[in-house]
């Protein structure tokens, strides 16, 4: 099946109002015509600010996290999916390794966020990936399978027709160390095979993007892999020209 490429920008905790607004404008101007689904995920406090330049463009707005609680209520500091939609978001990252590592989000907690995102009408971008110790211990596939299985158990396999998976080896995020195209392809194929046990059609249609030190000079070789459908981009998304080069590399493989 032909899957339309998707490239998402994870700005993490960077920038200020002026930086975010300018970057959003430059990103829209340079990415809108690439034939790629582009999602911009700014820090939460800049969501409505970034929604301005994105409106009417082909670029979608995403958040970096959400509360697993669906109903509004007494949850100080939390933000639920309905609020994100109200601010113009259509996507949300769940299970980023930085949150798994520093906020103690285990597979079940991530699955609850995935479910809450979909219940609100958002498309979750589910991050999965192994640590270096897990890779060295030849546990990559088992780790990925457990991360996916928890979400399938909570949300059901059909939920993956309204989701994106991001394979992000933890050892490659922000380190400058990228998975080789072969390593990325092997992991993406393993993820698809895990889903295919439950539903071959959904496994074939779900977009699995790669994240981990994607840069303009390595993007094309990663995106040329048959099971790599685009990227989740951290550091390189903070420079509009670099991000645009990555988006256009994905477009070249659509
Ligand atoms: C990320 O934060 O999801 C990411 C992939 O970061 P970087 O591109 O900087 O490795």
């Amino acid at each position: 099946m032909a899957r339309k490429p998707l490239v998402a920008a994870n700005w993490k905790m960077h920038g200020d109002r002026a930086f975010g607004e300018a970057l959003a404008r430059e990103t829209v101007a340079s990415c809108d015509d690439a034939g790629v689904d582009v999602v911009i995920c700014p820090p939460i406090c800049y969501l409505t600010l970034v929604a301005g330049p994105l409106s009417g463009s082909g670029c979608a707005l995403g958040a970096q996290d959400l509360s697993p609680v669906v109903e509004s209520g007494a949850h100080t500091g939390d933000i639920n999916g309905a609020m994100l939609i109200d601010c113009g978001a259509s996507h949300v990252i769940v299970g980023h390794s930085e949150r798994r590592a520093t906020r103690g989000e285990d597979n079940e907690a991530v699955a609850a966020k995935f479910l809450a995102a979909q219940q609100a009408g958002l498309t979750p971008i589910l991050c999965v990936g192994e640590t270096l110790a897990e890779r060295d211990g030849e546990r990559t596939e088992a780790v990925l399978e457990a991360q996916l299985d928890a979400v399938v158990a909570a949300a059901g396999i059909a939920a993956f027709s309204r989701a994106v998976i991001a394979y992000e080896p933890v050892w490659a995020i922000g380190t400058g160390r990228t998975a080789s195209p072969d390593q990325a392809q092997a992991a993406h194929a393993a993820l698809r095979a895990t889903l295919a046990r439950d539903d071959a059609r959904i496994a074939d249609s779900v977009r699995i993007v790669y994240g981990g030190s994607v840069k303009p000079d390595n993007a094309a070789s990663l995106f040329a892999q048959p099971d790599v459908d685009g990227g989740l981009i951290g550091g390189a998304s903070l420079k509009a020209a670099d991000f645009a080069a990555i988006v256009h590399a994905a477009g070249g493989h659509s």
Side-chain angles (χ1 to χ4, degrees):
M1 163 180 286
R3 294 175 294 267
K4 187 176 181 189
L6 181 145
V7 178
N10 176 9
W11 292 357
K12 308 194 187 189
M13 199 173 74
H14 289 292
D16 55 18
R17 290 175 63 86
F19 175 85
E21 194 168 18
L23 182 57
R25 281 190 200 290
E26 289 167 31
T27 300
V28 166
S30 53
C31 294
D32 223 7
D33 59 345
V36 172
D37 285 339
V38 173
V39 184
I40 312 291
C41 303
I44 191 73
C45 55
Y46 302 136
L47 215 54
T48 50
L49 180 82
V50 169
L54 264 51
S55 93
S57 82
C59 300
L61 184 66
Q64 298 175 15
D65 184 41
L66 85 167
S67 168
V69 178
V70 174
E71 300 297 327
S72 56
H75 304 286
T76 303
D78 281 0
I79 293 164
N80 69 9
M83 292 168 171
L84 297 180
I85 293 211
D86 195 29
C87 291
S90 54
H91 292 68
V92 61
I93 296 170
V94 297
H96 193 281
S97 61
E98 287 155 13
R99 297 198 64 85
R100 289 181 190 259
T102 66
R103 302 304 167 96
E105 292 188 8
D106 61 13
N107 290 344
E108 285 63 39
V110 172
K113 290 190 171 193
F114 180 104
L115 198 55
Q118 286 200 331
Q119 283 172 349
L122 292 160
T123 299
I125 301 174
L126 169 67
C127 297
V128 296
E130 80 287 1
T131 63
L132 190 56
E134 289 162 345
R135 174 163 283 270
D136 288 345
E138 298 184 358
R139 287 189 288 132
T140 298
E141 287 193 15
V143 168
L144 297 179
E145 196 175 315
Q147 290 173 337
L148 265 190
D149 280 351
V151 179
V152 174
I157 186 69
F160 283 85
S161 64
R162 294 175 289 121
V164 174
I165 298 171
Y167 168 60
E168 297 212 307
V170 179
W171 47 272
I173 297 176
T175 58
R177 203 179 146 187
T178 316
S180 70
D182 285 349
Q183 286 173 322
Q185 169 57 26
H188 285 226
L191 287 163
R192 229 179 270 291
T194 298
L195 293 177
R197 287 185 324 215
D198 291 315
D199 191 313
R201 192 186 54 78
I202 286 178
D204 191 36
S205 62
V206 69
R207 288 181 291 187
I208 307 179
V209 302
Y210 169 80
S213 298
V214 179
K215 307 287 178 212
D217 61 358
N218 60 24
S221 59
L222 288 159
F223 299 160
Q225 300 305 308
D227 285 298
V228 178
D229 305 316
L232 177 55
I233 318 300
S237 71
L238 297 172
K239 285 190 188 150
D242 285 359
F243 185 67
I246 291 167
V247 167
H248 285 272
H253 292 287
S254 57

